[in-house]
Amino acid sequence: MQVPDIIIAIDGYSSTGKSSFAKIIAKEFSFLYLDSGALYRGVTLFAIENGFISDDCTIDVPGLDKALNDLDLHFGENGTYIGERCIETEIRSLAVAGKVSPIATVPEVRAFVDKKLREFGASKRVVMDGRDIGTTVFPNAELKIFMTADPMIRAQRRAAEMTAKGIEVDIQDVLKNLQERDYIDSHREASPLSQAEDAIVLDNSHMTMEDQLVWLKGIISERFGC
Ligand code: DC
C-alpha cells in the first residue's frame, strides 16, 4: 500500500495499545514513530532523580522548569535517552508510571515536550502517539485516531507486559494506576486527553493487532484513495 506523506496522530487512554499499534504502522508504511508518552516519562524520571518531585507528588515547578533548559532528552537507537544514557527500562517502571500524570499536568513540562515533538515531527510520514497529539501538538494531522478499550482488558494487557519483563505486579494495582491516570489525564487544565472532533474512534477491546491494521488500511484507502 502506497501511503501519502501524512501525519498520523494516535491519542487515547493509557494501555490501549497505542504505542504497539503506532510501531506496527511505522514498520508497515516506513513511517517515523514518535512516542510522546516516553518524553513525559523521561521528564518524570529526571524529576524523581533530581528531587523535583516528592513522594506525595509535590512538584518544584520553578526548579524543574529551569532544569529543563539543560535536559537533553531524545530518541535513539534503543528508545529514549538522556544524553548518552538509555532510560527505556527505567521509564516503564511503576515508580515512574505513578508520577508521570502529575508531571504531565505542568504547563512548562507540556511546552518542553510539545517543542521537542514538533521538531522531531517536522518532516511528514510520522506516526505519533499520546493524549493530545490530534488536538494540540499536530491539530492539522491528516489522520487522527482515538483509541479506547475496556479498563480491565487494558489492565490485563499492561500486567502481562510487565510480567514478561520480569516485573512482579498485582492486577488490582495496575487497574488502579490506569484509572487514576485516566482521571488525571482527562481532567487536567493543560491540554487534557480529549477526542479531536475529526478523530476516528477505535475500540480494540476485542481486536487483534492484525484486525486493527486491516481496519486502518480500510480507512486510509477510503480517505486517500490508495
Ligand atoms: O502513553 P504513556 O502511558 O506512556 O504516557 C505516560 C503519561 O504521559 C500519561 O499518563 C499521560 C502523559 N501523556 C500526556 O499527558 N500527553 C501525551 N501526549 C502523552 C502522554
Coordinates of all heavy atoms in Angstrom, one line a residue, residues 55-146:
D55 N 7.6 12.4 47.3 CA 6.9 11.1 47.4 C 5.4 11.4 47.3 O 4.6 10.6 46.7 CB 7.2 10.4 48.7 CG 8.6 9.8 48.7 OD1 9.2 9.7 47.6 OD2 9.1 9.4 49.7
D56 N 4.9 12.5 47.8 CA 3.5 12.8 47.8 C 3.1 13.6 46.5 O 2.1 14.2 46.4 CB 3.0 13.5 49.0 CG 3.6 14.9 49.2 OD1 4.4 15.3 48.3 OD2 3.2 15.7 50.1
C57 N 4.1 13.6 45.5 CA 3.8 14.2 44.2 C 3.8 15.8 44.2 O 3.2 16.4 43.4 CB 2.6 13.7 43.5 SG 2.9 12.0 42.9
T58 N 4.4 16.4 45.3 CA 4.5 17.8 45.2 C 5.7 18.2 44.3 O 6.7 17.6 44.4 CB 4.9 18.4 46.6 OG1 3.9 17.9 47.5 CG2 4.9 19.9 46.6
I59 N 5.4 19.1 43.3 CA 6.4 19.3 42.3 C 7.0 20.7 42.5 O 6.3 21.7 42.7 CB 5.8 19.2 40.9 CG1 5.1 17.9 40.7 CG2 6.8 19.5 39.8 CD1 4.2 17.7 39.5
D60 N 8.3 20.8 42.4 CA 9.0 22.1 42.4 C 9.0 22.6 41.0 O 10.0 22.3 40.2 CB 10.5 21.8 43.0 CG 11.4 23.1 42.8 OD1 10.9 24.1 42.4 OD2 12.6 22.9 43.0
V61 N 8.0 23.3 40.6 CA 7.8 23.7 39.2 C 8.9 24.6 38.7 O 9.5 24.4 37.7 CB 6.4 24.2 38.9 CG1 6.3 24.8 37.5 CG2 5.3 23.1 39.2
P62 N 9.2 25.7 39.5 CA 10.3 26.6 39.0 C 11.6 25.9 38.9 O 12.3 26.1 37.9 CB 10.3 27.7 40.1 CG 9.0 27.6 40.9 CD 8.6 26.2 40.8
G63 N 11.9 25.1 39.8 CA 13.2 24.3 39.8 C 13.2 23.4 38.6 O 14.2 23.4 37.8
L64 N 12.2 22.7 38.3 CA 12.1 21.8 37.2 C 12.2 22.5 35.9 O 12.9 22.2 35.0 CB 10.8 20.9 37.3 CG 10.5 19.9 36.2 CD1 11.7 18.9 36.0 CD2 9.2 19.2 36.4
D65 N 11.4 23.6 35.8 CA 11.3 24.4 34.6 C 12.7 24.9 34.2 O 13.1 24.8 33.0 CB 10.4 25.6 34.8 CG 10.2 26.4 33.5 OD1 10.3 25.8 32.4 OD2 9.9 27.6 33.7
K66 N 13.5 25.3 35.2 CA 14.8 25.9 35.0 C 15.7 24.7 34.5 O 16.5 24.9 33.5 CB 15.3 26.5 36.3 CG 16.6 27.3 36.1 CD 16.7 28.3 37.3 CE 18.0 29.0 37.2 NZ 19.1 28.3 37.8
A67 N 15.6 23.6 35.2 CA 16.5 22.4 34.8 C 16.2 21.9 33.4 O 17.1 21.3 32.8 CB 16.3 21.3 35.9
L68 N 14.9 22.1 33.0 CA 14.6 21.5 31.6 C 15.4 22.2 30.5 O 15.6 21.6 29.5 CB 13.1 21.7 31.4 CG 12.1 20.8 32.1 CD1 10.7 21.1 31.8 CD2 12.4 19.3 31.9
N69 N 15.9 23.4 30.8 CA 16.7 24.1 29.8 C 17.9 23.3 29.4 O 18.4 23.4 28.2 CB 17.2 25.5 30.3 CG 16.0 26.4 30.4 OD1 15.1 26.4 29.5 ND2 16.0 27.3 31.4
D70 N 18.4 22.5 30.3 CA 19.6 21.8 30.0 C 19.4 20.3 29.9 O 20.3 19.5 29.8 CB 20.7 21.9 31.2 CG 21.0 23.4 31.3 OD1 21.2 24.0 30.3 OD2 21.1 23.9 32.5
L71 N 18.1 19.9 29.8 CA 17.8 18.4 29.7 C 17.9 18.0 28.2 O 17.0 18.4 27.4 CB 16.4 18.1 30.3 CG 16.0 16.7 30.2 CD1 17.0 15.8 31.0 CD2 14.6 16.5 30.8
D72 N 18.8 17.1 28.0 CA 19.0 16.6 26.6 C 18.2 15.2 26.5 O 18.8 14.2 26.6 CB 20.5 16.4 26.4 CG 20.8 15.7 25.0 OD1 19.9 15.8 24.1 OD2 21.8 15.2 24.8
L73 N 16.9 15.4 26.3 CA 16.0 14.2 26.2 C 15.7 14.0 24.8 O 15.3 14.9 24.1 CB 14.7 14.5 27.0 CG 13.7 13.5 27.1 CD1 14.2 12.2 27.9 CD2 12.4 14.0 27.8
H74 N 16.0 12.8 24.3 CA 15.8 12.5 22.9 C 15.6 11.0 22.6 O 15.7 10.2 23.5 CB 17.0 13.0 22.1 CG 18.3 12.4 22.5 ND1 18.9 11.4 21.8 CD2 19.1 12.6 23.6 CE1 20.0 11.0 22.4 NE2 20.2 11.8 23.5
F75 N 15.3 10.7 21.4 CA 15.1 9.3 21.0 C 16.4 8.8 20.3 O 17.0 9.6 19.6 CB 13.9 9.1 20.0 CG 12.6 9.4 20.6 CD1 11.8 10.5 20.1 CD2 12.1 8.7 21.7 CE1 10.6 10.8 20.7 CE2 10.9 9.0 22.3 CZ 10.1 10.1 21.8
G76 N 16.7 7.6 20.5 CA 17.9 7.0 19.9 C 17.7 5.6 19.5 O 16.6 5.1 19.4
E77 N 18.8 4.9 19.2 CA 18.7 3.5 18.7 C 17.8 2.6 19.5 O 17.1 1.8 19.0 CB 20.1 3.0 18.5 CG 20.2 1.9 17.4 CD 21.6 1.4 17.3 OE1 22.5 2.1 17.6 OE2 21.7 0.2 17.0
N78 N 18.0 2.7 20.9 CA 17.3 1.7 21.7 C 16.1 2.4 22.5 O 15.7 1.9 23.5 CB 18.2 1.0 22.7 CG 19.3 0.2 21.9 OD1 18.9 -0.6 21.1 ND2 20.5 0.4 22.2
G79 N 15.6 3.4 22.0 CA 14.5 4.1 22.7 C 14.8 5.5 23.1 O 15.3 6.3 22.4
T80 N 14.5 5.7 24.4 CA 14.6 7.1 24.9 C 15.9 7.3 25.7 O 16.3 6.4 26.4 CB 13.4 7.3 25.9 OG1 12.2 6.8 25.2 CG2 13.2 8.8 26.2
Y81 N 16.5 8.4 25.5 CA 17.8 8.7 26.1 C 17.8 10.1 26.8 O 17.1 11.0 26.4 CB 18.9 8.8 25.0 CG 19.3 7.5 24.4 CD1 18.4 6.8 23.5 CD2 20.5 6.9 24.7 CE1 18.7 5.6 23.0 CE2 20.8 5.6 24.1 CZ 19.9 5.0 23.2 OH 20.3 3.8 22.7
I82 N 18.6 10.1 27.9 CA 19.0 11.4 28.5 C 20.5 11.5 28.2 O 21.3 10.7 28.7 CB 18.7 11.5 30.0 CG1 17.2 11.6 30.2 CG2 19.4 12.8 30.6 CD1 16.8 11.7 31.7
G83 N 20.9 12.4 27.3 CA 22.3 12.4 26.9 C 22.6 11.1 26.3 O 21.9 10.6 25.4
E84 N 23.7 10.4 26.8 CA 24.1 9.1 26.2 C 23.4 8.0 26.9 O 23.6 6.8 26.6 CB 25.6 9.0 26.4 CG 26.4 10.2 25.9 CD 27.4 9.8 24.9 OE1 28.2 8.9 25.3 OE2 27.4 10.4 23.8
R85 N 22.7 8.3 28.0 CA 22.2 7.2 28.9 C 20.8 6.7 28.3 O 19.9 7.5 28.2 CB 22.0 7.7 30.3 CG 21.3 6.8 31.2 CD 21.2 7.5 32.6 NE 20.2 6.8 33.4 CZ 19.5 7.4 34.3 NH1 19.5 8.7 34.6 NH2 18.6 6.7 35.1
C86 N 20.7 5.4 28.0 CA 19.4 4.9 27.6 C 18.5 4.7 28.9 O 18.9 4.0 29.8 CB 19.6 3.6 26.9 SG 18.0 2.8 26.4
I87 N 17.3 5.3 28.9 CA 16.5 5.2 30.0 C 15.2 4.4 29.7 O 14.2 4.5 30.5 CB 16.1 6.7 30.5 CG1 15.5 7.5 29.4 CG2 17.3 7.4 31.1 CD1 14.8 8.8 29.8
E88 N 15.2 3.7 28.7 CA 14.0 3.0 28.2 C 13.4 2.1 29.3 O 12.2 2.0 29.4 CB 14.3 2.2 26.9 CG 13.1 1.8 26.1 CD 12.1 2.9 25.8 OE1 12.5 4.0 25.5 OE2 10.9 2.6 25.8
T89 N 14.2 1.3 30.0 CA 13.7 0.4 31.0 C 13.2 1.2 32.2 O 12.0 0.9 32.7 CB 14.8 -0.6 31.5 OG1 15.3 -1.2 30.3 CG2 14.3 -1.6 32.4
E90 N 13.9 2.1 32.7 CA 13.5 2.9 33.9 C 12.2 3.6 33.7 O 11.4 3.7 34.6 CB 14.6 3.9 34.3 CG 15.8 3.4 34.9 CD 16.9 3.3 33.9 OE1 16.6 2.9 32.8 OE2 18.1 3.6 34.3
I91 N 12.0 4.2 32.5 CA 10.8 5.0 32.3 C 9.5 4.1 32.3 O 8.4 4.7 32.3 CB 10.8 5.9 31.1 CG1 11.0 5.1 29.8 CG2 11.9 7.0 31.2 CD1 10.8 6.0 28.5
R92 N 9.6 2.8 32.2 CA 8.5 1.9 32.1 C 8.1 1.4 33.5 O 7.2 0.6 33.7 CB 8.7 0.7 31.2 CG 9.1 1.1 29.8 CD 8.0 1.8 29.0 NE 8.6 2.5 27.8 CZ 7.9 3.4 27.1 NH1 6.7 3.8 27.4 NH2 8.5 4.0 26.1
S93 N 8.9 1.8 34.6 CA 8.6 1.2 35.9 C 7.4 1.8 36.5 O 6.9 2.9 36.1 CB 9.8 1.5 36.8 OG 9.9 2.9 37.0
L94 N 6.8 1.1 37.5 CA 5.7 1.7 38.2 C 6.0 2.9 39.0 O 5.1 3.8 39.1 CB 5.1 0.6 39.2 CG 3.9 -0.2 38.7 CD1 3.3 -1.1 39.9 CD2 2.7 0.6 38.1
A95 N 7.2 3.1 39.4 CA 7.7 4.3 40.1 C 7.5 5.5 39.2 O 7.0 6.6 39.7 CB 9.1 4.2 40.5
V96 N 7.8 5.4 38.0 CA 7.7 6.5 37.0 C 6.2 6.6 36.6 O 5.6 7.7 36.6 CB 8.6 6.3 35.8 CG1 8.2 7.2 34.6 CG2 10.0 6.5 36.1
A97 N 5.5 5.4 36.4 CA 4.1 5.5 36.0 C 3.3 6.2 37.1 O 2.3 6.9 36.7 CB 3.6 4.1 35.8
G98 N 3.6 6.0 38.3 CA 2.9 6.6 39.4 C 3.0 8.1 39.5 O 2.2 8.8 40.2
K99 N 4.0 8.7 38.9 CA 4.2 10.1 39.0 C 4.1 10.9 37.7 O 4.1 12.1 37.6 CB 5.6 10.4 39.6 CG 5.7 10.0 41.0 CD 6.9 10.6 41.8 CE 6.8 10.5 43.3 NZ 6.9 9.2 43.8
V100 N 4.0 10.1 36.6 CA 4.0 10.8 35.3 C 2.8 11.7 35.0 O 2.9 12.7 34.4 CB 4.3 9.8 34.1 CG1 3.2 8.8 34.0 CG2 4.5 10.5 32.8
S101 N 1.6 11.2 35.5 CA 0.4 12.1 35.2 C 0.5 13.4 35.9 O 0.2 14.4 35.2 CB -0.9 11.3 35.5 OG -1.1 10.4 34.5
P102 N 0.9 13.5 37.2 CA 1.0 14.8 37.8 C 2.1 15.6 37.1 O 1.9 16.8 36.8 CB 1.5 14.5 39.2 CG 1.1 13.1 39.5 CD 1.0 12.4 38.2
I103 N 3.2 15.0 36.7 CA 4.2 15.8 35.9 C 3.7 16.3 34.6 O 3.9 17.5 34.2 CB 5.5 14.9 35.7 CG1 6.2 14.6 37.0 CG2 6.4 15.5 34.6 CD1 7.1 15.8 37.4
A104 N 2.8 15.5 33.9 CA 2.3 15.9 32.6 C 1.2 17.0 32.8 O 0.7 17.5 31.8 CB 1.7 14.7 31.9
T105 N 0.8 17.3 34.0 CA -0.2 18.4 34.2 C 0.5 19.8 34.2 O -0.1 20.8 34.0 CB -0.9 18.4 35.5 OG1 0.0 18.5 36.6 CG2 -1.7 17.1 35.7
V106 N 1.9 19.8 34.3 CA 2.6 21.0 34.4 C 2.8 21.7 33.1 O 3.4 21.1 32.2 CB 4.0 20.8 35.1 CG1 4.8 22.1 35.1 CG2 3.9 20.1 36.4
P107 N 2.2 22.9 32.9 CA 2.2 23.5 31.5 C 3.7 23.7 31.0 O 3.9 23.5 29.8 CB 1.6 24.9 31.8 CG 0.7 24.7 33.0 CD 1.4 23.7 33.8
E108 N 4.6 24.0 31.9 CA 6.0 24.2 31.5 C 6.6 22.9 30.9 O 7.4 22.9 29.9 CB 6.9 24.6 32.6 CG 6.7 26.0 33.1 CD 5.5 26.2 34.1 OE1 4.7 25.2 34.3 OE2 5.4 27.3 34.7
V109 N 6.2 21.7 31.5 CA 6.6 20.4 31.0 C 6.0 20.2 29.6 O 6.6 19.7 28.7 CB 6.3 19.3 32.0 CG1 6.5 17.9 31.4 CG2 7.0 19.5 33.3
R110 N 4.7 20.5 29.5 CA 4.0 20.2 28.2 C 4.6 21.1 27.1 O 4.8 20.6 26.0 CB 2.5 20.5 28.4 CG 1.8 19.7 29.5 CD 0.3 19.5 29.2 NE 0.1 18.6 28.1 CZ 0.1 17.3 28.1 NH1 0.3 16.7 29.2 NH2 -0.1 16.6 27.0
A111 N 5.0 22.3 27.5 CA 5.6 23.2 26.4 C 6.9 22.6 26.0 O 7.3 22.6 24.8 CB 5.8 24.6 27.0
F112 N 7.7 22.1 27.0 CA 9.0 21.4 26.7 C 8.8 20.2 25.7 O 9.5 20.1 24.7 CB 9.7 21.0 28.0 CG 10.9 20.2 27.9 CD1 12.1 20.8 27.6 CD2 10.8 18.8 28.0 CE1 13.3 20.0 27.5 CE2 12.0 18.0 27.9 CZ 13.2 18.6 27.6
V113 N 7.9 19.4 26.1 CA 7.6 18.2 25.3 C 7.1 18.5 23.9 O 7.5 18.0 22.9 CB 6.7 17.2 26.0 CG1 6.3 16.0 25.1 CG2 7.4 16.6 27.3
D114 N 6.1 19.4 23.9 CA 5.5 19.8 22.6 C 6.6 20.3 21.6 O 6.5 20.0 20.4 CB 4.4 20.9 22.8 CG 3.2 20.4 23.4 OD1 3.1 19.2 23.6 OD2 2.3 21.2 23.7
K115 N 7.5 21.1 22.1 CA 8.5 21.7 21.3 C 9.4 20.6 20.7 O 9.6 20.6 19.5 CB 9.4 22.7 22.1 CG 10.4 23.4 21.3 CD 10.9 24.6 22.2 CE 12.0 25.3 21.5 NZ 13.3 24.7 21.8
K116 N 9.7 19.6 21.5 CA 10.6 18.5 21.0 C 9.8 17.7 20.0 O 10.3 17.4 18.9 CB 10.9 17.6 22.2 CG 11.9 18.2 23.2 CD 13.0 17.2 23.6 CE 14.1 17.9 24.4 NZ 15.1 18.5 23.6
L117 N 8.5 17.5 20.2 CA 7.7 16.6 19.3 C 7.6 17.4 17.9 O 7.7 16.7 16.9 CB 6.3 16.4 19.9 CG 6.3 15.4 21.1 CD1 4.9 15.4 21.7 CD2 6.7 14.0 20.7
R118 N 7.4 18.7 18.0 CA 7.2 19.4 16.7 C 8.5 19.4 16.0 O 8.5 19.3 14.7 CB 6.7 20.8 17.0 CG 5.3 20.8 17.5 CD 4.6 22.1 17.5 NE 3.3 22.0 18.1 CZ 3.0 22.6 19.3 NH1 3.8 23.4 19.9 NH2 1.7 22.5 19.8
E119 N 9.7 19.5 16.7 CA 11.0 19.4 16.0 C 11.2 18.1 15.4 O 11.5 17.9 14.2 CB 12.1 19.6 17.0 CG 12.4 21.1 17.3 CD 13.3 21.1 18.6 OE1 14.0 20.2 19.0 OE2 13.2 22.2 19.2
F120 N 10.9 17.0 16.2 CA 11.2 15.6 15.7 C 10.2 15.3 14.5 O 10.5 14.5 13.7 CB 11.0 14.6 16.8 CG 11.9 14.7 18.0 CD1 11.5 14.3 19.2 CD2 13.2 15.2 17.8 CE1 12.4 14.4 20.3 CE2 14.0 15.3 18.9 CZ 13.6 14.9 20.2
G121 N 9.0 15.9 14.6 CA 8.0 15.5 13.6 C 7.9 16.5 12.5 O 6.9 16.5 11.7
A122 N 8.9 17.3 12.3 CA 8.8 18.4 11.3 C 8.6 17.8 9.9 O 7.9 18.3 9.0 CB 10.1 19.2 11.3
S123 N 9.3 16.6 9.6 CA 9.1 16.0 8.3 C 7.8 15.2 8.4 O 7.5 14.7 9.5 CB 10.2 15.1 8.0 OG 10.3 14.1 9.0
K124 N 7.1 15.0 7.3 CA 5.9 14.2 7.3 C 6.2 12.7 7.4 O 7.4 12.4 7.6 CB 5.0 14.6 6.1 CG 4.5 16.0 6.1 CD 3.0 15.9 6.6 CE 2.5 17.3 6.7 NZ 1.1 17.5 6.3
R125 N 5.3 11.9 7.1 CA 5.5 10.4 7.3 C 5.9 10.1 8.7 O 6.9 9.4 9.0 CB 6.5 9.8 6.3 CG 6.2 10.1 4.8 CD 7.0 9.3 3.9 NE 6.6 7.9 3.8 CZ 5.6 7.4 3.1 NH1 4.8 8.3 2.5 NH2 5.3 6.1 3.1
V126 N 5.0 10.6 9.6 CA 5.3 10.4 11.0 C 4.0 9.8 11.7 O 2.9 10.2 11.3 CB 5.6 11.7 11.7 CG1 5.6 11.6 13.2 CG2 6.9 12.3 11.3
V127 N 4.2 8.8 12.5 CA 3.1 8.4 13.4 C 3.4 8.7 14.8 O 4.5 8.3 15.2 CB 2.7 6.9 13.1 CG1 3.8 6.0 13.2 CG2 1.5 6.4 14.0
M128 N 2.6 9.3 15.5 CA 2.9 9.8 16.9 C 1.8 9.4 17.8 O 0.6 9.5 17.4 CB 3.0 11.3 16.8 CG 3.7 11.9 18.0 SD 3.9 13.7 17.8 CE 5.0 13.8 16.4
D129 N 2.1 8.9 19.0 CA 1.0 8.6 19.9 C 1.1 9.3 21.2 O 2.2 9.7 21.6 CB 1.0 7.0 20.1 CG 2.0 6.6 21.2 OD1 3.1 6.9 21.0 OD2 1.6 5.9 22.1
G130 N -0.1 9.6 21.8 CA -0.1 10.3 23.1 C -1.5 10.6 23.5 O -2.4 9.7 23.4
R131 N -1.7 11.8 24.1 CA -3.0 12.1 24.6 C -3.6 13.4 24.0 O -4.8 13.6 24.0 CB -2.9 12.5 26.1 CG -2.3 11.4 27.0 CD -3.2 10.2 27.1 NE -2.8 9.2 28.0 CZ -1.7 8.4 27.8 NH1 -0.9 8.6 26.8 NH2 -1.4 7.5 28.7
D132 N -2.7 14.2 23.4 CA -3.2 15.5 22.8 C -2.5 15.8 21.5 O -2.3 16.9 21.1 CB -2.8 16.6 23.8 CG -1.3 16.7 24.0 OD1 -0.6 15.8 23.7 OD2 -0.8 17.8 24.5
I133 N -2.1 14.7 20.8 CA -1.4 14.9 19.5 C -2.4 15.5 18.5 O -2.0 16.5 17.9 CB -0.8 13.6 19.0 CG1 0.0 12.9 20.1 CG2 0.0 13.8 17.7 CD1 1.2 13.7 20.6
G134 N -3.5 14.9 18.3 CA -4.5 15.4 17.3 C -5.2 16.7 17.7 O -5.7 17.4 16.9
T135 N -5.2 17.1 19.0 CA -5.8 18.3 19.5 C -4.8 19.4 19.6 O -5.2 20.6 19.3 CB -6.5 18.1 20.8 OG1 -5.6 17.4 21.7 CG2 -7.8 17.2 20.7
T136 N -3.6 19.2 20.1 CA -2.7 20.3 20.4 C -1.4 20.2 19.7 O -0.9 21.3 19.1 CB -2.4 20.2 22.0 OG1 -3.6 20.3 22.7 CG2 -1.5 21.4 22.4
V137 N -0.7 19.1 19.6 CA 0.6 19.0 19.1 C 0.6 19.2 17.5 O 1.2 20.0 16.9 CB 1.4 17.7 19.5 CG1 2.8 17.8 18.9 CG2 1.4 17.6 21.0
F138 N -0.3 18.3 16.9 CA -0.5 18.4 15.5 C -1.9 18.5 15.1 O -2.5 17.5 14.6 CB 0.2 17.2 14.8 CG 1.7 17.3 14.7 CD1 2.5 16.5 15.4 CD2 2.3 18.2 13.8 CE1 3.9 16.6 15.4 CE2 3.7 18.4 13.8 CZ 4.5 17.6 14.5
P139 N -2.6 19.6 15.4 CA -4.0 19.7 15.1 C -4.3 19.6 13.6 O -5.5 19.3 13.3 CB -4.4 21.1 15.6 CG -3.2 21.8 15.8 CD -2.0 20.9 16.0
N140 N -3.3 19.7 12.8 CA -3.6 19.6 11.3 C -3.2 18.2 10.8 O -3.2 18.0 9.6 CB -2.8 20.6 10.5 CG -3.2 22.0 10.9 OD1 -4.4 22.2 11.1 ND2 -2.3 23.0 10.9
A141 N -3.0 17.3 11.7 CA -2.6 15.9 11.2 C -3.7 15.4 10.3 O -4.9 15.6 10.5 CB -2.5 15.0 12.4
E142 N -3.3 14.8 9.2 CA -4.3 14.3 8.2 C -5.1 13.2 8.6 O -6.2 13.0 8.1 CB -3.5 13.9 6.9 CG -2.9 15.1 6.1 CD -1.5 15.5 6.7 OE1 -1.1 15.0 7.7 OE2 -1.0 16.4 6.1
L143 N -4.6 12.4 9.6 CA -5.4 11.2 10.1 C -5.3 11.1 11.6 O -4.2 11.1 12.1 CB -4.9 9.9 9.4 CG -5.6 8.7 9.8 CD1 -7.1 8.7 9.4 CD2 -5.0 7.5 9.1
K144 N -6.4 11.2 12.3 CA -6.4 11.1 13.7 C -7.2 9.9 14.2 O -8.4 9.8 13.8 CB -7.1 12.4 14.3 CG -6.3 13.7 13.9 CD -7.0 14.9 14.4 CE -6.4 16.2 13.9 NZ -7.1 17.4 14.3
I145 N -6.6 9.2 15.1 CA -7.3 8.0 15.6 C -7.4 8.2 17.2 O -6.4 8.6 17.8 CB -6.5 6.7 15.3 CG1 -6.4 6.6 13.8 CG2 -7.1 5.5 15.9 CD1 -5.4 5.6 13.3
F146 N -8.5 7.8 17.7 CA -8.7 7.9 19.2 C -9.0 6.5 19.7 O -10.0 5.9 19.4 CB -9.8 8.9 19.5 CG -9.9 9.1 21.0 CD1 -9.1 10.1 21.6 CD2 -10.7 8.4 21.9 CE1 -9.2 10.4 23.0 CE2 -10.8 8.6 23.2 CZ -10.0 9.6 23.8

